[in-house]
Amino acid sequence: HDRRVSSVAYSPDGKWFASGSDDDAAIIFNAITYQVVHNITHSHWVNDVIFTQDSKKLITASSDVIYDMGAVPFLRYIILK
């Protein structure tokens, strides 16, 4: 990341960890090799990252989608194999 990391999460199965940052990105890492597995790009900073209970999906939250009611976090997910 190029900016402050705002959130870090480990998958329940221990295979992955992810970080979200003010640089508008979330990164998924292999928890054993520390290699980057996937980058997720938002158009605004990433507020939070969390894995699903089965460790197969990462959900990221960012305020990059604006609705009439104001800023609502936009959720994106990626399926991990």
Side-chain angles (χ1 to χ4, degrees), residues 21-69:
S21 173
D22 289 354
D23 64 3
D24 306 343
I27 302 175
I28 302 171
F29 298 88
N30 179 304
I32 296 169
T33 65
Y34 301 107
Q35 290 184 321
V36 173
V37 175
H38 193 78
N39 285 301
I40 302 168
T41 304
H42 282 271
S43 60
H44 209 308
W45 63 78
V46 178
N47 301 316
D48 205 2
V49 292
I50 188 169
F51 286 93
T52 56
Q53 191 72 26
D54 62 5
S55 299
K56 292 184 179 178
K57 295 177 186 173
L58 175 74
I59 299 168
T60 65
S62 175
S63 54
D64 60 0
V65 174
I66 306 296
Y67 293 98
D68 291 338
M69 299 289 287

